[in-house]
Amino acid sequence: MRTPRTRPQSCWLLTILTLASLWMPIDPALAVPMQNDPNGFEGIPWGAAFTESDQFVKVEDAGRVQTFELKTSPHLLGPATVDSMKFSTIDGKFARVMVRYTGKETHDRLLAFLQQQFGPIDQTPGQMAGGAVKFFNWQGPDSAIILRYDLRTSLGVIFFESEAFRVKLNEGNSPSTF
């Protein structure tokens, strides 16, 4: 008898598959050198001790990697309201934020905000990859920002990641382990 997959398992699998698609190498021509590397996210430095608090609640515990969400809403990133923000740690140290959003207007606001903060994207014809899924990447010495937006579904995801913790976060999460 086959048992139905539970919602947390489905959510976890969807997250892993989304992350795996983002871990594919991005053409260096598409990466923009980051101006003003934040070395963290919204004042929280990479590597900071991170636990549940009056501001954050733990939503997933996968051993070395734990995920937290803000207790308050709406969730804001710059000038835009976003659907969710998930803060990940590895071995208790802050390492990544995943921001999900919906809609072309929100995408345009976020892209403009990120370009203002971290540097303009070269959108000259021939410099950006074509297709229904757009990737934008800012690369700094301490941080990486990867934005993925699907034109067909109007769904976007942005990863703010610590360069120092990126490899540790991705260990054991490649699609070949499933």
Side-chain angles (χ1 to χ4, degrees):
M1 179 173 154
R2 186 175 172 187
T3 59
R5 183 177 287 176
T6 64
R7 180 169 162 75
Q9 289 172 330
S10 297
C11 219
W12 174 246
L13 182 58
L14 181 60
T15 300
I16 292 298
L17 292 175
T18 300
L19 292 173
S21 72
L22 292 173
W23 293 327
M24 290 185 222
I26 295 175
D27 183 349
L30 299 178
V32 173
M34 186 183 298
Q35 300 169 3
N36 308 314
D37 188 320
N39 195 16
F41 182 80
E42 302 215 346
I44 306 169
W46 300 131
F50 206 97
T51 60
E52 283 189 294
S53 67
D54 57 345
Q55 192 177 10
F56 297 98
V57 61
K58 187 187 304 181
V59 294
E60 188 173 339
D61 188 337
R64 293 179 64 202
V65 178
Q66 298 182 352
T67 304
F68 300 82
E69 287 184 346
L70 292 168
K71 288 184 177 179
T72 60
S73 61
H75 306 298
L76 297 174
L77 178 60
T81 301
V82 297
D83 300 333
S84 68
M85 289 179 149
K86 294 191 177 192
F87 297 74
S88 297
T89 64
I90 180 100
D91 300 326
K93 296 178 181 177
F94 180 48
R96 175 186 287 152
V97 177
M98 180 175 63
V99 178
R100 291 190 179 277
Y101 64 92
T102 307
K104 174 87 167 88
E105 184 179 322
T106 301
H107 170 72
D108 291 342
R109 283 185 189 170
L110 289 170
L111 184 57
F113 171 73
L114 293 172
Q115 289 184 86
Q116 178 186 23
Q117 297 293 309
F118 306 111
I121 297 289
D122 181 2
Q123 297 191 47
T124 305
Q127 294 300 310
M128 295 303 298
V133 179
K134 302 294 182 188
F135 286 89
F136 304 91
N137 183 358
W138 292 263
Q139 192 68 46
D142 299 310
S143 307
I145 300 170
I146 303 163
L147 183 152
R148 179 190 183 275
Y149 182 69
D150 189 323
L151 297 168
R152 297 167 298 199
T153 61
S154 298
L155 296 175
V157 62
I158 307 169
F159 287 89
F160 295 82
E161 295 185 321
S162 161
E163 281 296 319
F165 292 108
R166 181 187 287 204
V167 172
K168 287 182 182 182
L169 279 166
N170 296 340
E171 286 175 355
N173 290 331
S174 69
S176 63
T177 61
F178 291 107

